[in-house]
Structures are given as C-alpha cells and as structure tokens.
Amino acid sequence: MELRYAQGIRLGALTFDPVGRVPSAFWTHRPVRRVQAGQTLASAPLAATWSDVLGVPFGGSVVAGGFRLELIPSGYGPGGAAVIATRNGHRTLILGPVSPRCEAQPAESLVLFAADTLAPDDDWLSAARMGGTLRLIPRDAGAALAISEALTAAGVPHRRPAWLVAGAGEGPKSARVTLSFTGEGRPVDARPQADEAFLAAYAHSTGAERIYVHGPRAEALSHRLKDAGMSSRVLAAPAQLPLAGLHPVSSR
C-alpha cells in the first residue's frame, strides 16, 4: 500500500482533505468550500452539518476503502478529527489542521499538515466591541469557532452560521456583528492551529518510524523534525511514498 500526494493525501481509495474532485474523500475539518467527491466521509458531528456525507463516530471504528478507520478529536473546529487508518496491522495516523488539544496515538506512519503562519492580529475584537455593524470572514470552521468563542467571552452579541455551535442557535437577529463564510467583510485569521514546536513533539510521541509532511510550511517543519533527530520526508504531488517497506513508485 502506498501513500500518495495528489489532490490531497491519498491512502488506497481514500483522499484526505482533497483539493480537487476525487472518487472518495475524508474531511478532517470543515473548509470554506468543500470540493466534489463521489463519496464523502467525516466525523459524525461534522457530517451532521453537511448533506450527503457519511459520518464516522468518535470512539468507534468503521471499515472504508479497505482500512479500519478510528477517529481522534483534533480540537480544530466543530467535528475536527485526526484519523488512524489500519491495514494488516500497520497504523497510519493522518492529521489535517490540528489544535494543541489533539492527543498523540502510537502509529508506524505519520502524516502531518504544516499550515502557513497566522496573519498578524489586527485587533478585530476591539472593532467588534465598538458596537458598529461588522461582518467577520474567517479562514475556515476552526477559525470561525475560535472567533465566536472570543466574541461570546467578550459579551459581544453576534450572528453565526447555524452549523457552528450545535444547539446554541444562530444568535440574535438584531446583532450588529455577523460571522460568515460568504459576502464582503473583514477577513480574520484566528485559526487555533498548533505550531511547529507542538507538531515536532507530537511526532516524537507517536513513535512513528515514517513521518511525511505536506502543506505551505512543510519544508520548515521537516527541517525541525530532522534537527530533533527524526526522519521525515516532504510530500509533493505527484510523488508516491511507500508504506510497510514498499519501494517508491512514480505516479507519472
């Protein structure tokens, strides 16, 4: 079995967090836009907020694409999950965006996503406190939840997507602050993402023999892992990398 970086992280028939249309997709988090797939899977809480998505429960396991899938809460937005995919006793732990609340699990292979750096804080919360009409546009659902929690803690009434906080409602219709993925507004980063120091410590805790890194800061994270005495390799399309001792095969 091979791990492929092509339109996302592909393991067997499943592509995790795809960037283009694929036959079968697994989403570890909720992006602003979800690309098309023949079949889509996600954690049960996340799947409940989407249409035509098969939900996988936390604390259990399912078989999909020839793998046994187990989900770990990633702490990144509503229903965010890391995934352990097991075949023939070989455990591959796949992380999309994660927060520092994601717990490490033992695995033979580990895939890490290295996000781009956070945009500088432009003091959007002070602007929201001022009481004027304001539309906030987050980067993804992880950022949206962090923004909503900050507004709630600051006592700022706000409107938000119905899927964002289950059972909490959309907020008062009279609220001058709106949180939305669509329309014109003030971009706010606020992603609760783990930094490179956390990811390096996380990788060490898994005991993984093979570590693969992808994303905007993959090279920087890979260097940090190597400096800490771990072996890592950067995934870049269309390379295929081996699992369980198989030799690399070109995807061209």
Side-chain angles (χ1 to χ4, degrees), residues 57-171:
F58 287 108
S61 65
V62 299
V63 175
F67 292 87
R68 179 166 59 88
L69 304 180
E70 303 168 81
L71 272 57
I72 307 164
S74 69
Y76 194 89
V83 184
I84 300 173
T86 304
R87 177 183 282 179
N88 299 328
H90 186 100
R91 290 160 60 92
T92 301
L93 176 54
I94 300 174
L95 275 66
V98 296
S99 79
R101 290 180 286 177
C102 186
E103 295 184 3
Q105 297 287 328
E108 287 70 43
S109 298
L110 173 65
V111 181
L112 295 174
F113 174 68
D116 57 348
T117 55
L118 293 170
D121 184 4
D122 61 358
D123 208 13
W124 57 268
L125 187 54
S126 292
R129 284 193 179 108
M130 291 177 64
T133 299
L134 183 63
R135 189 178 189 87
L136 302 176
I137 311 296
R139 289 279 296 266
D140 57 22
L145 182 57
I147 294 167
S148 182
E149 289 175 341
L151 290 170
T152 299
V156 178
H158 58 285
R159 297 273 294 167
R160 60 199 168 212
W163 51 261
L164 185 56
V165 184
E170 297 181 12

Side-chain angles (χ1 to χ4, degrees), residues 159-241:
R159 297 273 294 167
R160 60 199 168 212
W163 51 261
L164 185 56
V165 184
E170 297 181 12
K173 293 183 178 180
S174 60
R176 293 179 177 271
V177 177
T178 302
L179 182 59
S180 176
F181 279 171
T182 61
E184 296 294 327
R186 182 172 185 162
V188 179
D189 198 327
R191 289 169 292 164
Q193 68 190 32
D195 61 18
E196 290 170 10
F198 172 87
L199 293 175
Y202 188 100
H204 184 268
S205 297
T206 67
E209 298 175 357
R210 300 177 181 89
I211 303 173
Y212 307 119
V213 187
H214 69 107
R217 290 188 55 80
E219 292 285 352
L221 178 56
S222 181
H223 286 310
R224 185 165 193 140
L225 293 171
K226 291 176 181 177
D227 288 344
M230 291 174 275
S231 173
S232 71
R233 186 168 175 181
V234 174
L235 288 172
Q240 293 183 9
L241 297 177

